[in-house]
Each structure stands twice: as C-alpha cells, then as structure tokens.
Amino acid sequence: MGSEEKEDGLYKITTSQQAVCSCCGALITSVLVTPLDVIKVRLQVQMNPSLKGKSFLDSDGLTDHVYLYENGSGKTWQRTAGRFNGMMDAFVKIVQREGAKSLWSGLPPSLAVSVPTTVLYFTCYDKLRDAIISELGEDNGYISLAAGGIARLFSATIISPVEMIRTTMQSRRLSYKQLSACVSNNVAQNGWLSLWKGWGPTVLRDVPFSALYWCNYESFKKLLCKKSGIHEPTILITFSSGAAAGSIAATLTLPFDVVKTHKQTELWQSDVLQCIIPRLTKIAPACAIMISTYEYGKSFFRKLNKKKDTENH
C-alpha cells in the first residue's frame, strides 16, 4: 500500500492519493483565482483600449489562460460593464451588471489543461524528489531545484499538444469541428511535431520557474517548521511558503515570460509589460492556495494510512 513510515517520521502516501491531492488543489486554485484573473483583465483592457478585439495570454503559475476581449458582443464576460475604479469597484460592477457567473468565464477550458498538468507535475516532483533523496541519503536545496525542473519539463512535454489545441480554440473561437479541421490541416502540412510548437517557449519559462519555486518553497517550509518546533508543516506555513516562493520565482522569470508570450501564442501585438504585471499579483495566491491544499491532502492521507497500519497491527 505504500504507507510505511519514512526516515523523517512521516508516513508515505500512494501515487493515487498524491494524484487526488493535486487534482483537488488544481480545482480549488482555479475556482478561487479565476475571478481575480477576469477582474485584472478587465482593468487591463480599460487602461489599454488597443487590446479590444484581441486575444492575449495570462498565467496564474499553474497554467496559461487565453482571454478574448470584444466590446459589445460575444459571451457575457467579454462585454464591458462600464468604467472601473479599482479591483473592488470592478468586482461589484461586474457582479451587478453581468452576474456572478461571469467571474468564472473561461474556467472549463482552463481546467481541461490545469488539472492533468498539475497531477502530472506535482506527483512527478514528489516521486522524483523522494527517489533522489533515497539514493543520495541526504536532502538539500539542489535536490528540490533539480526535481522541480525535471518534473515541469516532463509535464510540459506531455501536455504541450493539449495546451496548443486549447489555446487555438479559445483565441480563434473555433467550434470543435473547425478545430479538428484546423489541427488536421496543420499536422498534414507541418507534421506531428507541429503540435509541440509552443514547447520551447513554455519550457524556457516554466522549468526555471518550477526549479526556483520548489527550491525556495522547501527551504522556507523547513525554516518555518524548525522555528516553530514542529515536524509536519501547518497550513499557515505551507501557504506563506508557497506565496513567498511563487513571488520570487515569478519575479526572476519575468524575462522568460516575455519570450513565452511572443513566440508561442503570437497573440499580443503591443504593450506586453501591461499584460505581464498582473501575473505577479496572481502567482502568489495561486501558488499559496495550490501548495497548501496539496500539503493538507497529503497530511490527511498520511494520518489515514497511519491509522490503517495501526489497526492492522
């Protein structure tokens, strides 16, 4: 069952349990962060009218979101709700004039990518990190750095075709039939490798981000646990460590995000920096919510496995 006790005193959890934890984390994070995404995009377009009628890409640290802005037509979330004076004002006006549902516009296609990506990514990271520590017999920051980068490389490679198809569908507003014809035509002309068109820029941004994130997260978590005199981190420790690590990684990888934006999606035509700034304000809460949910789930299953082992003995 894989619930034997580790050297650090914490019970192991199974791969399926890790997948459940990461899946729940991705769902909760997407549901909570999407309204912030929508509000930020509305404010962004208000400050830069040239974005109207265009598609552009945004990231919350887990996956990318494609936004389409058209004034006066299309889905409810694409319509303007008047002029906003800050985030709270935008929140109130959008809910009043378009309904609360509009705050979660674009959520289903984002979940189609974020959930499988996160399950692969987090499960791969934990398995790889544990394997390296077991092999070397010690734990240090370099292990988390390497495991984080490799895990992101693996998940990005597997999910890249799905992300490219989803981005094409959202940015061009294609029906499933049109999308199928578009993908088939693209593969016929450029070969199957064309499905990985955005792989290079994605890896260029996400692998350094992931390596830095996990290295800092594990360091912060270990430091806070030591200062608190506890063995297993609390939700507050994982939440604050995730927020701090995400902010640092997002800041240091901003140049890579510019490359990702231009080379993969080719959706933006100007004012790239105005679209990148909101990323920093979303990375912290997204990373904090995701990692604290994931760690809480692992803690739950550890206790469950320990209880089962105790009862069996």
Side-chain angles (χ1 to χ4, degrees):
M1 168 151 173
S3 59
E4 67 270 18
E5 199 169 358
K6 288 184 179 181
E7 290 182 0
D8 60 6
L10 297 178
Y11 270 70
K12 288 183 179 179
I13 63 175
T14 64
T15 301
S16 60
Q17 288 173 337
Q18 286 179 318
V20 170
C21 294
S22 53
C23 181
C24 290
L27 287 170
I28 293 173
T29 302
S30 295
V31 169
L32 294 179
V33 173
T34 295
L36 181 59
D37 279 329
V38 172
I39 291 171
K40 285 286 186 180
V41 168
R42 296 293 191 89
L43 290 171
Q44 209 172 312
V45 174
Q46 177 177 279
M47 291 186 293
N48 183 9
S50 66
L51 288 174
K52 290 184 178 181
K54 297 180 182 178
S55 304
F56 52 99
L57 200 101
D58 203 10
S59 173
D60 62 10
L62 293 178
T63 189
D64 295 316
H65 305 267
V66 178
Y67 290 97
L68 314 170
Y69 191 93
E70 294 182 2
N71 190 15
S73 63
K75 297 180 181 178
T76 56
W77 72 278
Q78 294 170 311
R79 295 201 304 265
T80 179
R83 187 149 191 88
F84 307 126
N85 298 309
M87 289 191 64
M88 186 55 67
D89 182 58
F91 174 81
V92 173
K93 286 181 178 177
I94 291 172
V95 171
Q96 286 179 341
R97 301 176 186 182
E98 303 176 26
K101 188 178 179 181
S102 63
L103 290 173
W104 283 271
S105 54
L107 181 59
S110 294
L111 288 176
V113 175
S114 65
V115 172
T117 300
T118 305
V119 169
L120 278 172
Y121 173 38
F122 276 71
T123 304
C124 182
Y125 167 76
D126 265 348
K127 292 296 183 184
L128 189 58
R129 180 174 178 270
D130 288 346
I132 297 175
I133 291 176
S134 177
E135 184 69 24
L136 298 180
E138 62 175 340
D139 185 11
N140 57 58
Y142 295 109
I143 292 176
S144 298
L145 189 81
I150 295 172
R152 195 63 171 182
L153 178 64
F154 175 75
S155 62
T157 302
I158 299 297
I159 299 296
S160 187
V162 180
E163 182 181 1
M164 194 215 72
I165 292 172
R166 191 259 315 194
T167 301
T168 301
M169 183 178 182
Q170 282 188 272
S171 62
R172 296 173 59 181
R173 298 205 322 187
L174 300 175
S175 66
Y176 287 105
K177 186 176 181 180
Q178 291 172 323
L179 177 66
S180 177
C182 179
V183 172
S184 297
N185 185 54
N186 187 43
V187 170
Q189 290 183 355
N190 305 307
W192 285 102
L193 287 179
S194 62
L195 293 177
W196 279 266
K197 177 185 177 182
W199 180 85
T202 298
V203 168
L204 183 62
R205 182 196 68 185
D206 290 354
V207 170
F209 176 91
S210 179
L212 290 169
Y213 170 76
W214 285 109
C215 179
N216 284 309
Y217 170 73
E218 297 290 355
S219 297
F220 290 149
K221 183 178 72 171
K222 189 181 294 184
L223 178 63
L224 291 175
C225 282
K226 186 177 180 180
K227 283 190 174 183
S228 301
I230 57 177
H231 196 61
E232 190 169 9
T234 62
I235 291 181
L236 180 60
I237 287 177
T238 56
F239 189 91
S240 56
S241 297
S247 298
I248 293 172
T251 301
L252 295 178
T253 56
L254 268 178
F256 300 114
D257 195 56
V258 176
V259 175
K260 155 85 173 178
T261 299
H262 279 299
K263 290 191 176 180
Q264 182 193 16
T265 66
E266 297 175 354
L267 297 177
W268 296 352
Q269 296 177 17
S270 61
D271 301 303
V272 176
L273 287 178
Q274 288 194 38
C275 295
I276 293 178
I277 291 173
R279 177 178 180 239
L280 292 175
T281 62
K282 292 195 299 295
I283 291 289
C287 288
I289 294 168
M290 177 63 216
I291 195 63
S292 57
T293 305
Y294 180 63
E295 293 280 22
Y296 179 82
K298 291 200 298 182
S299 177
F300 170 81
F301 281 119
R302 284 191 190 108
K303 292 175 183 177
L304 183 65
N305 293 341
K306 183 177 181 179
K307 183 179 178 181
K308 288 182 177 179
D309 281 354
T310 302
E311 291 175 350
N312 291 335
H313 290 87

